[in-house]
Amino acid sequence: MIINKIKEFFIKSHQNSRRDILKENEIQEIEKMFITLTSSNNLMTKPSKYWLELNKMNFVQLKENGFENFKRTIALNYFTWVRIMPWDSQIIFLLKNLKFQEIKKCFFFAIRAPKQDFFSSFNFIQSILFNFLTSLMWQYIINLKLDYNTLQEPTIGNPPLINFNNRQISQDIINSLLEYDSIMSNIESSKPVSSILELGAGYGRNAYVFLKLNPNAKYIIVDIPPALWVAQKYLKECFPDRKIFEYQEFENFNKIENEFNNSHIIFLLSSQLELLPRNLVDICINISSFHEMRLEQINYYLQQFSMITKPKGYFYIKQWKIGHVLFENTIIRENDYPIPNDFSKVYSRVARVQTKFFEALYQKK
């Protein structure tokens, strides 16, 4: 498809750094993660061609604009919609599910709100549409009564915020609340969730929400650089009192078991996932990254989920219904996902707001 070729060209053309704001030691830390990941003998844990190319661009954006601005650069390559058309499927969903007066309120707010200023060109109309979509999403959250504990978007990373009813909100905090509710409102509540593992956590937007609402839980992030490095730095600043297991190289879980068990937030490379013991976590999560992998990689990670999820535990996925894997010339469809036999379906449905996505929750038998 022409659109996909344009996307590939855009990614390729933004892989050369013009300046470095990151400190030299920070660049070296990220580069060391890259080296460790690429030297792994397990081909399944190495990034797809898409992520190899995208991460070259992400690393350049991070070096050029710094950690202090990551929510206006690499975070926009994850799950934030910036250049929005009036006929966007998210806007259509929200217009159908909100009252006229609520829509009117959001529209006039979007016009009056300050213009969003990004490093890339972002004109006045696009800024209004961005503010309109974000405010509609927040109104939808309010109507669903998902306004948990006055959660706000942290200002770390200089996020594209809107101030709506004296609350600092963003698309990321809204989407994380929706995903949190999709999981937590559909699992057995007989015992508290004590451990969550997220594969492909981006900068940690879901980890922030889960840990704020479940302060006693352990959260394990498994990812690739530079996202893993950003998430580690970000969540350390968000939760300065939590014990952190920072990324480190190890070949045997026994060597790090005590430190691992005593930590609240844990950071691992994708190549380290298979080193974890069986029946470890209550919930496994993957949001919007399986559809960017080859099918054999998806199968590998779902099998890992099967092994590390506790009996009666869960895994949750949210992916494009039809995912075009750039640079791989591959299409992943909703029915292609090889769900392990030891999981039973709780639900599989069209995602709220992002109606081009499906979301599914499974429970281990």
Side-chain angles (χ1 to χ4, degrees):
M1 292 178 63
I2 295 176
I3 293 177
N4 290 338
K5 291 299 180 183
I6 293 173
K7 290 178 180 178
E8 290 177 2
F9 174 78
F10 178 84
I11 292 171
K12 284 277 194 179
S13 63
H14 288 76
Q15 294 178 347
N16 296 314
S17 180
R18 296 162 295 182
R19 59 178 182 176
D20 287 348
I21 288 181
L22 278 184
K23 298 176 182 178
E24 183 61 30
N25 68 302
E26 293 176 326
I27 293 175
Q28 290 175 356
E29 289 172 0
I30 298 171
E31 289 177 338
K32 185 177 180 181
M33 289 182 180
F34 275 118
I35 292 171
T36 302
L37 184 62
T38 55
S39 64
S40 170
N41 292 325
N42 189 342
L43 296 178
M44 294 298 102
T45 63
K46 293 184 177 182
S48 63
K49 291 180 182 178
Y50 169 70
W51 274 106
L52 283 173
E53 298 297 338
L54 183 63
N55 277 334
K56 293 176 185 177
M57 184 181 78
N58 285 346
F59 196 15
V60 166
Q61 288 184 339
L62 189 60
K63 288 192 288 186
E64 289 185 342
N65 300 290
F67 171 82
E68 60 270 23
N69 291 303
F70 79 84
K71 286 184 181 176
R72 290 176 181 259
T73 54
I74 66 171
L76 302 184
N77 300 329
Y78 297 144
F79 206 78
T80 301
W81 277 260
V82 177
R83 294 172 180 84
I84 303 152
M85 296 293 107
W87 53 85
D88 182 90
S89 59
Q90 298 179 83
I91 290 181
I92 292 173
F93 172 89
L94 293 162
L95 293 180
K96 289 180 178 179
N97 286 275
L98 295 175
K99 298 176 181 178
F100 175 76
Q101 289 300 322
E102 294 170 337
I103 296 169
K104 180 180 176 182
K105 175 185 176 183
C106 292
F107 178 74
F108 284 108
F109 167 83
I111 293 176
R112 294 191 300 267
K115 179 185 176 184
Q116 298 291 343
D117 183 21
F118 295 91
F119 293 110
S120 57
S121 59
F122 196 53
N123 63 33
F124 179 67
I125 298 300
Q126 284 292 299
S127 182
I128 290 176
L129 288 170
F130 175 88
N131 291 336
F132 186 45
L133 172 61
T134 307
S135 57
L136 287 174
M137 291 173 70
W138 187 248
Q139 185 61 56
Y140 182 71
I141 287 284
I142 292 172
N143 291 356
L144 290 177
K145 303 187 186 304
L146 303 186
D147 186 11
Y148 290 108
N149 298 342
T150 65
L151 271 176
Q152 297 190 83
E153 177 68 37
T155 57
I156 301 166
N158 192 18
L161 296 170
I162 67 172
N163 195 310
F164 195 64
N165 291 345
N166 297 317
R167 294 282 294 280
Q168 291 182 162
I169 60 172
S170 68
Q171 287 184 32
D172 281 355
I173 202 78
I174 295 168
N175 284 321
S176 291
L177 281 170
L178 284 171
E179 290 150 6
Y180 179 89
D181 179 70
S182 289
I183 298 170
M184 300 301 290
S185 66
N186 289 282
I187 66 176
E188 297 175 7
S189 57
S190 58
K191 60 178 182 178
V193 172
S194 61
S195 52
I196 306 108
L197 182 145
E198 185 174 4
L199 174 70
Y203 71 82
R205 65 176 178 87
N206 279 304
Y208 174 78
V209 169
F210 269 87
L211 289 168
K212 278 290 186 180
L213 301 179
N214 298 273
N216 295 320
K218 180 192 298 289
Y219 207 98
I220 305 166
I221 286 181
V222 181
D223 215 326
I224 58 179
L228 184 67
W229 183 87
V230 173
Q232 179 171 284
K233 188 172 177 64
Y234 175 64
L235 293 172
K236 282 175 66 177
E237 292 192 23
C238 289
F239 301 99
D241 298 329
R242 305 286 178 95
K243 184 170 178 55
I244 307 293
F245 181 96
E246 296 189 27
Y247 163 74
Q248 57 185 274
E249 296 182 23
F250 63 93
E251 297 180 357
N252 189 303
F253 182 76
N254 292 335
K255 293 182 179 180
I256 51 92
E257 184 173 6
N258 288 337
E259 184 181 358
F260 184 99
N261 290 337
N262 292 322
S263 298
H264 298 116
I265 312 175
I266 294 160
F267 299 91
L268 305 174
L269 274 179
S270 57
S271 55
Q272 296 173 317
L273 177 60
E274 63 186 14
L275 299 177
L276 298 181
R278 291 175 174 268
N279 303 326
L280 178 69
V281 300
D282 297 306
I283 302 172
C284 285
I285 299 171
N286 181 271
I287 296 171
S288 190
S289 70
F290 272 162
H291 56 231
E292 296 160 342
M293 303 179 189
R294 299 185 303 277
L295 193 58
E296 62 266 26
Q297 288 181 296
I298 297 172
N299 181 65
Y300 169 80
Y301 283 118
L302 286 175
Q303 292 300 322
Q304 293 299 312
F305 279 10
S306 175
M307 287 187 283
I308 63 179
T309 303
K310 297 176 182 177
K312 301 298 182 181
Y314 298 84
F315 84 78
Y316 169 83
I317 58 174
K318 181 178 179 179
Q319 319 291 335
W320 286 98
K321 294 178 184 176
I322 302 177
H324 297 267
V325 188
L326 299 181
F327 302 102
E328 295 274 5
N329 196 27
T330 301
I331 296 176
I332 304 294
R333 292 179 172 85
E334 180 178 353
N335 293 329
D336 291 337
Y337 288 84
I339 306 303
N341 293 329
D342 55 347
F343 281 92
S344 58
K345 183 191 301 181
V346 178
Y347 66 75
S348 182
R349 64 196 186 193
V350 176
R352 293 172 291 185
V353 183
Q354 292 93 29
T355 55
K356 292 185 177 181
F357 283 69
F358 76 95
E359 60 178 355
L361 182 70
Y362 292 85
Q363 184 175 26
K364 191 172 180 179
K365 298 174 183 177

